[in-house]
Structure formats: structure tokens, C-alpha cells
Amino acid sequence: MKRQIAIPLVFGVIGTAILLGLGLWQVQRLGEKQAELAEIAQRIAKTPIALPGAPVEADDKYLAVEASGVFLGPELHVLVGAKDLGAGYRLIQPFETQGRRILVDRGFFDLEAKDAERPAGAARLIGNLHWPDEVDGYTPEPDMDRGIWFARDVPAMAGALETEPVLLVVRQETPQLTNGLTPLPVGGANIPNNHLQYAITWFLLAVIWAGMTGYFLWRTGRTARAAKGKTT
């Protein structure tokens, strides 16, 4: 009888402890992620500075910058679905500033406007540096003939347009050279933070595991008592 109860009890306690530990770890990660998102939001909203000489992702991601220069061709179009805007493309163009060529994400335009002429010209840009993590094993290869991409792959786009591997996502463009463009600035809303849901899931599993363990022990004890009563 004792062995029948002891083994399930040990598994029940260990399993519940592990699940509770995973839930507490997710709560800790939630706090860390919220602090990280708050830091990113502050970084995005800071007063723009001049484009650094050699920006790198580790130090300059989300950095608010301003740059003056000239838009060049050709264009790249990144297929995207934007909230309240529907399906369309992000417009990626080379931008020459102070003798350098960087990538600029100018914003969203409708599918129907893909072949529209977009004049090049001088502009002053305010935005944020970004190295989006959008490429995975399921991302299709870009259609180079039509200039259609399926993710913002900064190194690959820089190679295709012969620019530095630096992407400036526009928040404000002065003057607005092309009608029908809607800026899609960098924001923390697109950064996933699912740790609360994960924590709730682990805690619920802990409750279920503990409940099943308790039920099993109750059934085992009840069966043992019934069997003992029949023998007396």
C-alpha cells in the first residue's frame, strides 16, 4: 500500500515542482522582456542624431537618426501585410548621403502601385536604424526579375543594391517625394512578448498535474481500503 502511494506521490510532487518552476521562469522572463521593450521604446523615441560612421546591429539597432541625401534606384519591393492597410509592399531604395549609400525603407504602398513611377530626388529623413529578423528556413527566395522580396534581409538587399548593410526605416521624409506612401516606422508593438501566456500555461499544467496526482492517490487509497474491507 505504501509503495503504491509513494511512487505516484513522488512523480506528482516532482512534476508539479518542475511545471511551477517553468511558470516562475516565464514570469521572470516577462519582467526582463518588459524592461527590454521599455528600453527599446525610449531608444526609438530619442532625439535623432547624425548617421554614425559605421553602425552595427549590436550597438545601433533602433537608434534614432537623421540623414540628408538623394534617393537612387533601383527599388526593391518587400511583400507585406500591414494592419488597416491590407496587402502591399515596403519600398526599399538606396540613399546617398555624405558620399555613402545606405538602404532606406520608405514605407508602404498598395499592390496596384507596384509599377508606378516614383521620382528620385533630395530629401531629409528621420527614422531608426534596424536589422529586422524576418528570414527563416521557410522564407522564399526573392524574385530578382520582378524585384519582389518576401522579407527584409539587410545583408542580401545591400548586396543587391550595392549599399552598406544599414537600413534606415523612415519615420518622416521631407519633402514627401512620392504620393501614396505610408511610413511604417519601427515600433515595439511588433516585437513578440508571449511570456505571460507561457507562464499561465505552465501554471495551469501544474494545477492539472497536481489534481491528477491527488485524484490518483485518492482512487488508490479507496481501492486499497475496499479490498481490505472485503478480506475482513
Side-chain angles (χ1 to χ4, degrees):
M1 173 66 178
K2 290 183 179 180
R3 184 172 181 178
Q4 287 178 319
I5 293 178
I7 293 177
L9 180 61
V10 169
F11 276 101
V13 170
I14 292 175
T16 302
I18 291 173
L19 293 169
L20 287 173
L22 290 170
L24 291 172
W25 177 69
Q26 289 295 340
V27 170
Q28 178 183 346
R29 287 292 298 123
L30 174 63
E32 293 172 353
K33 193 58 172 285
Q34 288 175 333
E36 179 185 342
L37 291 174
E39 182 180 349
I40 289 173
Q42 290 179 351
R43 192 174 180 84
I44 290 172
K46 278 186 175 180
T47 301
I49 64 173
L51 181 68
V56 294
E57 179 177 1
D59 299 326
D60 300 308
K61 192 171 185 178
Y62 306 114
L63 182 67
V65 300
E66 58 181 353
S68 296
V70 180
F71 284 108
L72 307 171
E75 303 174 358
L76 297 180
H77 303 152
V78 182
L79 189 64
V80 66
K83 185 178 180 181
D84 300 327
L85 296 173
Y89 298 97
R90 285 183 179 268
L91 175 60
I92 311 294
Q93 280 186 260
F95 187 73
E96 186 172 309
T97 175
Q98 298 181 342
R100 303 165 57 186
R101 285 167 58 96
I102 64 170
L103 298 167
V104 170
D105 180 339
R106 298 180 65 186
F108 175 92
F109 65 88
D110 294 332
L111 294 174
E112 295 76 13
K114 184 181 188 312
D115 297 323
E117 291 189 11
R118 280 171 280 273
R124 177 177 177 269
L125 308 179
I126 294 177
N128 298 86
L129 299 184
H130 197 27
W131 287 262
D133 184 15
E134 297 178 349
V135 180
D136 58 29
Y138 300 99
T139 304
E141 291 294 322
D143 184 341
M144 304 301 288
D145 293 334
R146 300 178 59 200
I148 297 177
W149 293 58
F150 300 93
R152 290 178 294 174
D153 184 339
V154 172
M157 292 190 301
L161 296 179
E162 299 180 349
T163 72
E164 296 178 29
V166 174
L167 177 66
L168 170 58
V169 181
V170 170
R171 190 191 319 159
Q172 180 181 333
E173 178 182 317
T174 309
Q176 183 71 52
L177 298 174
T178 302
N179 295 326
L181 274 178
T182 302
L184 294 178
V186 174
N190 295 326
I191 302 174
N193 181 15
N194 300 315
H195 296 292
L196 178 59
Q197 294 92 312
Y198 295 155
I200 292 172
T201 299
W202 288 123
F203 287 140
L204 287 176
L205 287 173
V207 171
I208 293 171
W209 188 281
M212 291 177 62
T213 300
Y215 177 74
F216 181 81
L217 294 174
W218 175 78
R219 284 288 303 272
T220 301
R222 181 182 179 186
T223 301
R225 288 191 296 270
K228 186 177 180 180
K230 290 180 179 180
T231 58
T232 57

